[in-house]
Amino acid sequence: MVTRKTELEEIDGTPEKRLFLSIISDYDLKTGLCELVDNAIDFWISNDKSTSLEVEIILDFNRQIISIRDNAGGVKEQDLRLLIAPGATGNKSHEEVIGTFGVGGKRAGVALGELVEIRTRYKREKSLEIDLTNEWLQSDDWALAAYEIPNVAPGTTSVEISKLRQSFDEEDIDIVREHLSETYDWFIRDGCKITLNGEGLSPIRFDVWAYPPGFEPKEAVFTITPRAEQSLKVTMTAGLIRDRVPEKDNYGVYVYCNHRLIVKELRTRDVGYFVSGEAGVPHPDASLCRVIVHVQGAPDVMPWNSSKSGLNFNHAAFSQLRPTLIGLVSYFSSLSRRTKNNWDNAVYPHARGRVQTIEPSEISIGRKITLPKLPRTRKPARIDALRSKNKAVLRQKPWTLGLIEAMGLVDLISKQKLDTKNRVALILLDSNFEIALKEFIVNRTDIFPPHVYNDAKIVQLFKARHSVINDVKQHVNLTPALLAKVQHYYNLRNKLVHERATVGITDAQVLDYRKTVEKVLRLLFNLKFPSD
């Protein structure tokens, strides 16, 4: 049966201005400025890089005005519509540029302020200006006046944004400086000069690799084809890092598209984290793992989102590179964990070496890669773990070393095949408790003045343990329940030392007393103990 079609009036498909307004919340100062810098870089590339690119950004804190000027070549009069028409772009799909959607710079300016004044001059042709105002944005008319103006330098474009929608302060300027230095690292190193408030930006790189023998960084280079006859070159470099900053959590996945940083410190399920058998839950012990991904090619098949502030994980390009990425993230996260107790010796000192290339034959799109066998793990002795966990305390209170090592010895004794090991462990724990009280009194001269607590006083005081405890608990919250346990095990110790019959000590009693003494050491010296 043939369906008959009756033609009606044409539908007007002109976009509405609220297209701009709907995305204002998607942009902050960093994202908006990057869109404008992206525009400058793309114009520069489209104009065949005829000059050295200079981008000058001014964030006027006092006047709350944003200015950005570039010498990328300027915009031709017949191309002014590219500055305002959503979807219009002069970029060719085959060029390795950053912009592709034809909306970024336009909506970024509108998102940042109610008045956007754009001045441009293509080569030595006439100087032109267009103004994006709140009144134009709220009208239904897309027509926009263009003006000829004097005195714009040849080949330059400037954008001035005022009546800002969100104010910024001096701290925001510092944040922007770091963000731009990271985002355009490659371009700055390639000779592009970007200044912020008169100060040139220095590139910030993330390829600060460690080269432990046998476990050097690995590099995989391969091609993906997210769309028929449109391919992308992918370069992944993964390894352990030497610039770990615990406070910043600066590890995970970093992705660049056409040399522009899109996302950093990515640690989601999409790249292998939170998945058992892959990278697992993000944790400080895996924080030496970093994978840097460079994707090069046509911008319209890149896996980024439209504001270039994140990735589209459902994109065909990401789906094709994902298995190799997860393989590298999982491998070096595991390597970080396996070496965590010896980073100072096994990782950080190895500052020189070569990145090892993964043979192309080992990379198969859609499959994980095969990497060298990871080193065997050996759980460190408790005494080593205690020293490591209390490095900061030991620097400030070196007298606590004996207390820490004694607790490690208790664990060591408990693992011996000796019939009387629990008796020895109990005596050591009780002695360590008493020594801890002495160290507290001797070294806390602010509350136990040496002229009062002299040698004679201390000798007299320690003839009766309850006297020592009474003096200490005036300054430390040793609870009755805690002290009752200490007294219980002190009585057991006395039975061992002073009574005819030898009492039996169980594993459970040693464990309980060890945890009790650990609580006392935490209270007295802020010592830390790994969980069992």
Side-chain angles (χ1 to χ4, degrees), residues 439-467:
E439 294 289 2
F440 185 73
I441 292 172
V442 169
N443 291 285
R444 285 299 304 270
T445 55
D446 54 327
I447 53 179
F448 298 102
H451 68 279
V452 176
Y453 286 84
N454 52 33
D455 289 346
K457 169 74 172 178
I458 290 175
V459 169
Q460 182 63 34
L461 189 65
F462 275 82
K463 287 182 178 180
R465 180 186 278 199
H466 68 273
S467 299

PDB file of all heavy atoms in Angstrom, residues 439-467:
ATOM      1  N   GLU A 439      58.876   7.950  78.970  1.00  0.00           N
ATOM      2  CA  GLU A 439      59.270   8.827  77.856  1.00  0.00           C
ATOM      3  C   GLU A 439      58.360  10.049  77.775  1.00  0.00           C
ATOM      4  O   GLU A 439      58.797  11.157  77.460  1.00  0.00           O
ATOM      5  CB  GLU A 439      59.218   8.051  76.529  1.00  0.00           C
ATOM      6  CG  GLU A 439      60.232   6.932  76.401  1.00  0.00           C
ATOM      7  CD  GLU A 439      61.665   7.445  76.246  1.00  0.00           C
ATOM      8  OE1 GLU A 439      61.883   8.666  76.281  1.00  0.00           O
ATOM      9  OE2 GLU A 439      62.574   6.609  76.103  1.00  0.00           O
ATOM     10  N   PHE A 440      57.088   9.853  78.092  1.00  0.00           N
ATOM     11  CA  PHE A 440      56.151  10.974  78.063  1.00  0.00           C
ATOM     12  C   PHE A 440      56.522  12.012  79.116  1.00  0.00           C
ATOM     13  O   PHE A 440      56.546  13.218  78.841  1.00  0.00           O
ATOM     14  CB  PHE A 440      54.728  10.452  78.287  1.00  0.00           C
ATOM     15  CG  PHE A 440      53.670  11.517  78.162  1.00  0.00           C
ATOM     16  CD1 PHE A 440      53.323  12.024  76.926  1.00  0.00           C
ATOM     17  CD2 PHE A 440      53.019  12.015  79.290  1.00  0.00           C
ATOM     18  CE1 PHE A 440      52.343  13.005  76.800  1.00  0.00           C
ATOM     19  CE2 PHE A 440      52.046  12.989  79.181  1.00  0.00           C
ATOM     20  CZ  PHE A 440      51.712  13.485  77.933  1.00  0.00           C
ATOM     21  N   ILE A 441      56.807  11.555  80.327  1.00  0.00           N
ATOM     22  CA  ILE A 441      57.156  12.482  81.417  1.00  0.00           C
ATOM     23  C   ILE A 441      58.481  13.181  81.140  1.00  0.00           C
ATOM     24  O   ILE A 441      58.609  14.404  81.314  1.00  0.00           O
ATOM     25  CB  ILE A 441      57.208  11.718  82.754  1.00  0.00           C
ATOM     26  CG1 ILE A 441      55.799  11.258  83.161  1.00  0.00           C
ATOM     27  CG2 ILE A 441      57.830  12.574  83.858  1.00  0.00           C
ATOM     28  CD1 ILE A 441      55.772  10.341  84.369  1.00  0.00           C
ATOM     29  N   VAL A 442      59.472  12.419  80.670  1.00  0.00           N
ATOM     30  CA  VAL A 442      60.810  12.987  80.459  1.00  0.00           C
ATOM     31  C   VAL A 442      60.823  13.997  79.318  1.00  0.00           C
ATOM     32  O   VAL A 442      61.509  15.031  79.400  1.00  0.00           O
ATOM     33  CB  VAL A 442      61.824  11.856  80.189  1.00  0.00           C
ATOM     34  CG1 VAL A 442      63.156  12.419  79.705  1.00  0.00           C
ATOM     35  CG2 VAL A 442      62.036  11.034  81.451  1.00  0.00           C
ATOM     36  N   ASN A 443      60.060  13.740  78.257  1.00  0.00           N
ATOM     37  CA  ASN A 443      60.150  14.582  77.062  1.00  0.00           C
ATOM     38  C   ASN A 443      59.076  15.659  76.972  1.00  0.00           C
ATOM     39  O   ASN A 443      59.210  16.561  76.144  1.00  0.00           O
ATOM     40  CB  ASN A 443      60.093  13.706  75.806  1.00  0.00           C
ATOM     41  CG  ASN A 443      61.343  12.856  75.655  1.00  0.00           C
ATOM     42  OD1 ASN A 443      62.404  13.363  75.291  1.00  0.00           O
ATOM     43  ND2 ASN A 443      61.230  11.561  75.947  1.00  0.00           N
ATOM     44  N   ARG A 444      58.047  15.597  77.796  1.00  0.00           N
ATOM     45  CA  ARG A 444      57.056  16.671  77.818  1.00  0.00           C
ATOM     46  C   ARG A 444      57.423  17.648  78.918  1.00  0.00           C
ATOM     47  O   ARG A 444      56.749  17.757  79.948  1.00  0.00           O
ATOM     48  CB  ARG A 444      55.652  16.096  78.015  1.00  0.00           C
ATOM     49  CG  ARG A 444      55.079  15.435  76.774  1.00  0.00           C
ATOM     50  CD  ARG A 444      54.938  16.401  75.593  1.00  0.00           C
ATOM     51  NE  ARG A 444      54.147  17.559  75.932  1.00  0.00           N
ATOM     52  CZ  ARG A 444      52.817  17.623  75.785  1.00  0.00           C
ATOM     53  NH1 ARG A 444      52.169  16.577  75.325  1.00  0.00           N
ATOM     54  NH2 ARG A 444      52.173  18.726  76.097  1.00  0.00           N
ATOM     55  N   THR A 445      58.523  18.367  78.715  1.00  0.00           N
ATOM     56  CA  THR A 445      59.015  19.300  79.736  1.00  0.00           C
ATOM     57  C   THR A 445      58.078  20.489  79.936  1.00  0.00           C
ATOM     58  O   THR A 445      58.192  21.205  80.925  1.00  0.00           O
ATOM     59  CB  THR A 445      60.416  19.806  79.356  1.00  0.00           C
ATOM     60  OG1 THR A 445      60.367  20.386  78.037  1.00  0.00           O
ATOM     61  CG2 THR A 445      61.421  18.664  79.352  1.00  0.00           C
ATOM     62  N   ASP A 446      57.157  20.699  78.988  1.00  0.00           N
ATOM     63  CA  ASP A 446      56.215  21.801  79.146  1.00  0.00           C
ATOM     64  C   ASP A 446      55.217  21.532  80.271  1.00  0.00           C
ATOM     65  O   ASP A 446      54.720  22.466  80.914  1.00  0.00           O
ATOM     66  CB  ASP A 446      55.459  22.053  77.835  1.00  0.00           C
ATOM     67  CG  ASP A 446      54.786  20.805  77.306  1.00  0.00           C
ATOM     68  OD1 ASP A 446      55.330  19.703  77.495  1.00  0.00           O
ATOM     69  OD2 ASP A 446      53.711  20.933  76.672  1.00  0.00           O
ATOM     70  N   ILE A 447      54.911  20.239  80.529  1.00  0.00           N
ATOM     71  CA  ILE A 447      53.955  19.915  81.600  1.00  0.00           C
ATOM     72  C   ILE A 447      54.618  19.164  82.758  1.00  0.00           C
ATOM     73  O   ILE A 447      54.020  19.021  83.821  1.00  0.00           O
ATOM     74  CB  ILE A 447      52.764  19.109  81.048  1.00  0.00           C
ATOM     75  CG1 ILE A 447      53.231  17.877  80.277  1.00  0.00           C
ATOM     76  CG2 ILE A 447      51.891  19.976  80.166  1.00  0.00           C
ATOM     77  CD1 ILE A 447      52.103  17.028  79.718  1.00  0.00           C
ATOM     78  N   PHE A 448      55.834  18.676  82.516  1.00  0.00           N
ATOM     79  CA  PHE A 448      56.605  18.017  83.582  1.00  0.00           C
ATOM     80  C   PHE A 448      57.970  18.700  83.691  1.00  0.00           C
ATOM     81  O   PHE A 448      58.966  18.206  83.133  1.00  0.00           O
ATOM     82  CB  PHE A 448      56.775  16.514  83.288  1.00  0.00           C
ATOM     83  CG  PHE A 448      55.491  15.747  83.218  1.00  0.00           C
ATOM     84  CD1 PHE A 448      54.936  15.383  81.991  1.00  0.00           C
ATOM     85  CD2 PHE A 448      54.822  15.383  84.381  1.00  0.00           C
ATOM     86  CE1 PHE A 448      53.759  14.673  81.926  1.00  0.00           C
ATOM     87  CE2 PHE A 448      53.635  14.658  84.329  1.00  0.00           C
ATOM     88  CZ  PHE A 448      53.095  14.314  83.099  1.00  0.00           C
ATOM     89  N   PRO A 449      58.048  19.861  84.327  1.00  0.00           N
ATOM     90  CA  PRO A 449      59.283  20.656  84.376  1.00  0.00           C
ATOM     91  C   PRO A 449      60.451  19.831  84.947  1.00  0.00           C
ATOM     92  O   PRO A 449      60.301  19.148  85.977  1.00  0.00           O
ATOM     93  CB  PRO A 449      58.929  21.809  85.319  1.00  0.00           C
ATOM     94  CG  PRO A 449      57.433  21.877  85.294  1.00  0.00           C
ATOM     95  CD  PRO A 449      56.956  20.478  85.100  1.00  0.00           C
ATOM     96  N   PRO A 450      61.618  19.845  84.296  1.00  0.00           N
ATOM     97  CA  PRO A 450      62.773  19.061  84.751  1.00  0.00           C
ATOM     98  C   PRO A 450      63.230  19.377  86.168  1.00  0.00           C
ATOM     99  O   PRO A 450      63.736  18.493  86.867  1.00  0.00           O
ATOM    100  CB  PRO A 450      63.858  19.419  83.725  1.00  0.00           C
ATOM    101  CG  PRO A 450      63.104  19.838  82.511  1.00  0.00           C
ATOM    102  CD  PRO A 450      61.884  20.527  83.026  1.00  0.00           C
ATOM    103  N   HIS A 451      63.040  20.642  86.604  1.00  0.00           N
ATOM    104  CA  HIS A 451      63.484  20.967  87.958  1.00  0.00           C
ATOM    105  C   HIS A 451      62.577  20.316  89.004  1.00  0.00           C
ATOM    106  O   HIS A 451      62.973  20.168  90.172  1.00  0.00           O
ATOM    107  CB  HIS A 451      63.531  22.484  88.161  1.00  0.00           C
ATOM    108  CG  HIS A 451      62.185  23.157  88.161  1.00  0.00           C
ATOM    109  ND1 HIS A 451      61.524  23.482  86.998  1.00  0.00           N
ATOM    110  CD2 HIS A 451      61.384  23.537  89.205  1.00  0.00           C
ATOM    111  CE1 HIS A 451      60.365  24.053  87.314  1.00  0.00           C
ATOM    112  NE2 HIS A 451      60.255  24.099  88.640  1.00  0.00           N
ATOM    113  N   VAL A 452      61.370  19.952  88.593  1.00  0.00           N
ATOM    114  CA  VAL A 452      60.465  19.229  89.503  1.00  0.00           C
ATOM    115  C   VAL A 452      60.626  17.723  89.297  1.00  0.00           C
ATOM    116  O   VAL A 452      60.811  16.961  90.252  1.00  0.00           O
ATOM    117  CB  VAL A 452      59.001  19.653  89.274  1.00  0.00           C
ATOM    118  CG1 VAL A 452      58.068  18.819  90.165  1.00  0.00           C
ATOM    119  CG2 VAL A 452      58.829  21.142  89.546  1.00  0.00           C
ATOM    120  N   TYR A 453      60.577  17.289  88.036  1.00  0.00           N
ATOM    121  CA  TYR A 453      60.703  15.877  87.710  1.00  0.00           C
ATOM    122  C   TYR A 453      62.168  15.571  87.368  1.00  0.00           C
ATOM    123  O   TYR A 453      62.515  15.250  86.235  1.00  0.00           O
ATOM    124  CB  TYR A 453      59.771  15.521  86.546  1.00  0.00           C
ATOM    125  CG  TYR A 453      58.318  15.470  86.967  1.00  0.00           C
ATOM    126  CD1 TYR A 453      57.552  16.639  87.015  1.00  0.00           C
ATOM    127  CD2 TYR A 453      57.725  14.265  87.324  1.00  0.00           C
ATOM    128  CE1 TYR A 453      56.227  16.602  87.415  1.00  0.00           C
ATOM    129  CE2 TYR A 453      56.399  14.226  87.722  1.00  0.00           C
ATOM    130  CZ  TYR A 453      55.650  15.387  87.773  1.00  0.00           C
ATOM    131  OH  TYR A 453      54.341  15.347  88.173  1.00  0.00           O
ATOM    132  N   ASN A 454      63.011  15.696  88.387  1.00  0.00           N
ATOM    133  CA  ASN A 454      64.426  15.384  88.202  1.00  0.00           C
ATOM    134  C   ASN A 454      64.632  13.872  88.329  1.00  0.00           C
ATOM    135  O   ASN A 454      63.679  13.105  88.526  1.00  0.00           O
ATOM    136  CB  ASN A 454      65.284  16.145  89.198  1.00  0.00           C
ATOM    137  CG  ASN A 454      64.803  15.942  90.631  1.00  0.00           C
ATOM    138  OD1 ASN A 454      64.305  14.870  90.978  1.00  0.00           O
ATOM    139  ND2 ASN A 454      64.946  16.974  91.467  1.00  0.00           N
ATOM    140  N   ASP A 455      65.897  13.437  88.226  1.00  0.00           N
ATOM    141  CA  ASP A 455      66.176  11.995  88.247  1.00  0.00           C
ATOM    142  C   ASP A 455      65.687  11.336  89.526  1.00  0.00           C
ATOM    143  O   ASP A 455      65.116  10.237  89.501  1.00  0.00           O
ATOM    144  CB  ASP A 455      67.679  11.754  88.083  1.00  0.00           C
ATOM    145  CG  ASP A 455      68.167  12.071  86.673  1.00  0.00           C
ATOM    146  OD1 ASP A 455      67.301  12.213  85.782  1.00  0.00           O
ATOM    147  OD2 ASP A 455      69.383  12.169  86.456  1.00  0.00           O
ATOM    148  N   ALA A 456      65.913  12.003  90.643  1.00  0.00           N
ATOM    149  CA  ALA A 456      65.499  11.434  91.928  1.00  0.00           C
ATOM    150  C   ALA A 456      63.978  11.284  91.996  1.00  0.00           C
ATOM    151  O   ALA A 456      63.447  10.268  92.476  1.00  0.00           O
ATOM    152  CB  ALA A 456      65.993  12.304  93.075  1.00  0.00           C
ATOM    153  N   LYS A 457      63.265  12.323  91.482  1.00  0.00           N
ATOM    154  CA  LYS A 457      61.801  12.279  91.474  1.00  0.00           C
ATOM    155  C   LYS A 457      61.285  11.132  90.614  1.00  0.00           C
ATOM    156  O   LYS A 457      60.354  10.401  90.993  1.00  0.00           O
ATOM    157  CB  LYS A 457      61.266  13.624  90.948  1.00  0.00           C
ATOM    158  CG  LYS A 457      59.781  13.651  90.630  1.00  0.00           C
ATOM    159  CD  LYS A 457      58.911  13.670  91.854  1.00  0.00           C
ATOM    160  CE  LYS A 457      57.452  13.901  91.486  1.00  0.00           C
ATOM    161  NZ  LYS A 457      56.567  13.875  92.649  1.00  0.00           N
ATOM    162  N   ILE A 458      61.911  10.943  89.450  1.00  0.00           N
ATOM    163  CA  ILE A 458      61.466   9.894  88.540  1.00  0.00           C
ATOM    164  C   ILE A 458      61.713   8.509  89.134  1.00  0.00           C
ATOM    165  O   ILE A 458      60.860   7.612  89.054  1.00  0.00           O
ATOM    166  CB  ILE A 458      62.163  10.049  87.170  1.00  0.00           C
ATOM    167  CG1 ILE A 458      61.617  11.303  86.464  1.00  0.00           C
ATOM    168  CG2 ILE A 458      61.959   8.813  86.305  1.00  0.00           C
ATOM    169  CD1 ILE A 458      62.299  11.641  85.174  1.00  0.00           C
ATOM    170  N   VAL A 459      62.887   8.327  89.755  1.00  0.00           N
ATOM    171  CA  VAL A 459      63.177   7.043  90.394  1.00  0.00           C
ATOM    172  C   VAL A 459      62.144   6.733  91.466  1.00  0.00           C
ATOM    173  O   VAL A 459      61.617   5.627  91.569  1.00  0.00           O
ATOM    174  CB  VAL A 459      64.599   7.037  90.996  1.00  0.00           C
ATOM    175  CG1 VAL A 459      64.799   5.810  91.888  1.00  0.00           C
ATOM    176  CG2 VAL A 459      65.644   7.072  89.900  1.00  0.00           C
ATOM    177  N   GLN A 460      61.830   7.737  92.293  1.00  0.00           N
ATOM    178  CA  GLN A 460      60.840   7.562  93.355  1.00  0.00           C
ATOM    179  C   GLN A 460      59.457   7.289  92.786  1.00  0.00           C
ATOM    180  O   GLN A 460      58.721   6.418  93.259  1.00  0.00           O
ATOM    181  CB  GLN A 460      60.811   8.826  94.236  1.00  0.00           C
ATOM    182  CG  GLN A 460      59.854   8.751  95.420  1.00  0.00           C
ATOM    183  CD  GLN A 460      60.256   7.648  96.405  1.00  0.00           C
ATOM    184  OE1 GLN A 460      61.453   7.384  96.599  1.00  0.00           O
ATOM    185  NE2 GLN A 460      59.268   7.016  97.034  1.00  0.00           N
ATOM    186  N   LEU A 461      59.117   8.035  91.718  1.00  0.00           N
ATOM    187  CA  LEU A 461      57.791   7.918  91.106  1.00  0.00           C
ATOM    188  C   LEU A 461      57.555   6.525  90.550  1.00  0.00           C
ATOM    189  O   LEU A 461      56.469   5.940  90.717  1.00  0.00           O
ATOM    190  CB  LEU A 461      57.652   8.966  89.990  1.00  0.00           C
ATOM    191  CG  LEU A 461      56.271   9.162  89.364  1.00  0.00           C
ATOM    192  CD1 LEU A 461      55.292   9.700  90.393  1.00  0.00           C
ATOM    193  CD2 LEU A 461      56.377  10.126  88.185  1.00  0.00           C
ATOM    194  N   PHE A 462      58.553   5.945  89.906  1.00  0.00           N
ATOM    195  CA  PHE A 462      58.374   4.660  89.237  1.00  0.00           C
ATOM    196  C   PHE A 462      58.469   3.455  90.174  1.00  0.00           C
ATOM    197  O   PHE A 462      58.402   2.314  89.730  1.00  0.00           O
ATOM    198  CB  PHE A 462      59.377   4.531  88.086  1.00  0.00           C
ATOM    199  CG  PHE A 462      58.885   5.175  86.807  1.00  0.00           C
ATOM    200  CD1 PHE A 462      59.026   6.531  86.612  1.00  0.00           C
ATOM    201  CD2 PHE A 462      58.244   4.419  85.846  1.00  0.00           C
ATOM    202  CE1 PHE A 462      58.565   7.131  85.461  1.00  0.00           C
ATOM    203  CE2 PHE A 462      57.775   5.016  84.680  1.00  0.00           C
ATOM    204  CZ  PHE A 462      57.931   6.389  84.479  1.00  0.00           C
ATOM    205  N   LYS A 463      58.586   3.716  91.466  1.00  0.00           N
ATOM    206  CA  LYS A 463      58.502   2.616  92.420  1.00  0.00           C
ATOM    207  C   LYS A 463      57.065   2.146  92.584  1.00  0.00           C
ATOM    208  O   LYS A 463      56.815   1.036  93.063  1.00  0.00           O
ATOM    209  CB  LYS A 463      59.061   3.053  93.770  1.00  0.00           C
ATOM    210  CG  LYS A 463      60.585   3.183  93.771  1.00  0.00           C
ATOM    211  CD  LYS A 463      61.095   3.580  95.147  1.00  0.00           C
ATOM    212  CE  LYS A 463      62.621   3.671  95.158  1.00  0.00           C
ATOM    213  NZ  LYS A 463      63.155   4.069  96.495  1.00  0.00           N
ATOM    214  N   ALA A 464      56.128   2.992  92.200  1.00  0.00           N
ATOM    215  CA  ALA A 464      54.700   2.636  92.285  1.00  0.00           C
ATOM    216  C   ALA A 464      54.031   3.039  90.974  1.00  0.00           C
ATOM    217  O   ALA A 464      53.897   4.230  90.679  1.00  0.00           O
ATOM    218  CB  ALA A 464      54.039   3.329  93.462  1.00  0.00           C
ATOM    219  N   ARG A 465      53.623   2.044  90.173  1.00  0.00           N
ATOM    220  CA  ARG A 465      53.078   2.360  88.844  1.00  0.00           C
ATOM    221  C   ARG A 465      51.838   3.242  88.932  1.00  0.00           C
ATOM    222  O   ARG A 465      51.643   4.123  88.085  1.00  0.00           O
ATOM    223  CB  ARG A 465      52.747   1.057  88.099  1.00  0.00           C
ATOM    224  CG  ARG A 465      52.168   1.335  86.705  1.00  0.00           C
ATOM    225  CD  ARG A 465      51.701   0.069  86.002  1.00  0.00           C
ATOM    226  NE  ARG A 465      52.823  -0.611  85.382  1.00  0.00           N
ATOM    227  CZ  ARG A 465      52.673  -1.518  84.408  1.00  0.00           C
ATOM    228  NH1 ARG A 465      51.462  -1.841  83.986  1.00  0.00           N
ATOM    229  NH2 ARG A 465      53.712  -2.125  83.884  1.00  0.00           N
ATOM    230  N   HIS A 466      51.003   3.014  89.943  1.00  0.00           N
ATOM    231  CA  HIS A 466      49.774   3.814  90.026  1.00  0.00           C
ATOM    232  C   HIS A 466      50.089   5.296  90.194  1.00  0.00           C
ATOM    233  O   HIS A 466      49.338   6.159  89.737  1.00  0.00           O
ATOM    234  CB  HIS A 466      48.871   3.321  91.168  1.00  0.00           C
ATOM    235  CG  HIS A 466      49.439   3.563  92.539  1.00  0.00           C
ATOM    236  ND1 HIS A 466      50.295   2.668  93.149  1.00  0.00           N
ATOM    237  CD2 HIS A 466      49.282   4.613  93.409  1.00  0.00           C
ATOM    238  CE1 HIS A 466      50.635   3.144  94.332  1.00  0.00           C
ATOM    239  NE2 HIS A 466      50.028   4.324  94.522  1.00  0.00           N
ATOM    240  N   SER A 467      51.225   5.632  90.833  1.00  0.00           N
ATOM    241  CA  SER A 467      51.614   7.037  90.985  1.00  0.00           C
ATOM    242  C   SER A 467      51.964   7.648  89.629  1.00  0.00           C
ATOM    243  O   SER A 467      51.610   8.799  89.335  1.00  0.00           O
ATOM    244  CB  SER A 467      52.804   7.155  91.935  1.00  0.00           C
ATOM    245  OG  SER A 467      52.477   6.658  93.219  1.00  0.00           O
TER     246      SER A 467
END
